[in-house]
Amino acid sequence: IKLGEMDGFLQTVMFTLFANQFEEEEENLLLTMFRTVLREEFKEARSIADALRSNTPLTRMMNTYTRRSPGQQYLKTALTTFLTKLTKTEECLEVNPVKVFDQWVIDLEAGQGKAYSGERKPLPEAAAAMPEIQAIIKPRMDKLLSIASELVDTLVESLQAVPYGIRWICRMTKQLCQERWPDATHAQVCTVVGGFFVLRYVNPAVATPSAYMIVDAKLSNNVRRNLTLIAKIQQNLANGIQFGDKEFYMAPLNKIFEICLPKLNAFLDKLTEVDDLEVHSSLDQYIALTKLTDQTISTTQNEIAFIHSLLVQHKDSVITEPGDEVDNILKNLPVAPQQVPRKDNAAIELKLVSSKIRSAGPDSTLNKMKPE
């Protein structure tokens, strides 16, 4: 399936077919699909360092899943206080010595009323060695370390607010890592779990809180740069990769590993400590089967046509055995209908009937149950 088609498919599945994010039965079906795709993804991964790193259908599924309502609500609950405080300050925390030097020259010339007579385009190493630049950068490094540490503490304190589905994906990721690479270290497994939770879920909200409606104010250039730096520190921490020669000036921030890595990895471990899907969903599925009210899906004509076209296109992969439900549908409807213009794209309500209830006999317990 092409990436463009994948985005449309995920949008339809997660926001139409399984749109009720607070309905346990729908969420369990969606997570069951995740389990299948996760297992296939880990079979194909060459090394633990490559797991969940590239832009694949699975990682796109993960990104789309976190945008559902429970996932977005968690980000607001966990990060609003932290990000509101951070975005209200205009303090510049830039630590790139070249950028700090350029601003220092501007301020110096404005204060003295004359042009700076020294080298105006120093190499990064030369700028970093200047006492004046070091005096500016040192307190900024301390402040960045403090903020980055506060973010880790914020995540640790938010553990109980993380939605079950997010935690279950973390659990499955850890389990599959340990099955696929039994000799992997605890730190390596944590980088894969953190690759999902921190890098694909939390970090985008830290870097662009306005896009997640966590803060309303228009952010200045200084604030946006500060957020980028914090997200960058968090990225390296979650990846377990210290700043090196490429960004030598960031090396003092490697102190964050000593300060926060044990706390972060302990948090990632606790994220995975949830019931497996079958245990978690057993009671909810029983309750769902005994509901006598009709369940429906709200969709559109074009969404149905789109899913139909994908089934036709990939029927050899989708049909598990001749005569299964998908095979029978496609035999009766072998050609998908054409998409219609937006103005003609009618809304459609589809009534759902559970296959478990449908297959229950007339004397079954489920069919004898009456509402109180």
Side-chain angles (χ1 to χ4, degrees), residues 107-123:
D107 295 341
L108 184 67
E109 290 178 336
Q112 294 182 347
K114 61 179 181 180
Y116 175 63
S117 59
E119 172 62 51
R120 300 191 68 93
K121 295 292 181 182
L123 293 173

Side-chain angles (χ1 to χ4, degrees), residues 24 28 277-290:
E24 292 288 349
N28 292 335
L277 191 57
E278 284 74 18
V279 176
H280 175 78
S281 63
S282 59
L283 178 60
D284 298 309
Q285 288 178 342
Y286 179 77
I287 293 172
L289 287 174
T290 61

Side-chain angles (χ1 to χ4, degrees), residues 38 73 101 124 149 190 304 315 340 361:
L38 273 165
Q73 185 58 47
F101 172 83
S149 180
C190 284
I304 293 174
K315 62 181 180 180
V340 299

Side-chain angles (χ1 to χ4, degrees), residues 48-59:
I48 194 168
D50 296 330
L52 307 185
R53 298 298 176 184
S54 56
N55 190 18
T56 66
L58 172 62
T59 56

Side-chain angles (χ1 to χ4, degrees), residues 83 87 204-219 227:
L83 289 172
T87 56
V206 172
T208 56
S210 298
Y212 289 76
M213 294 180 288
I214 296 175
V215 296
D216 298 327
K218 184 177 180 180
L219 305 182
L227 293 170

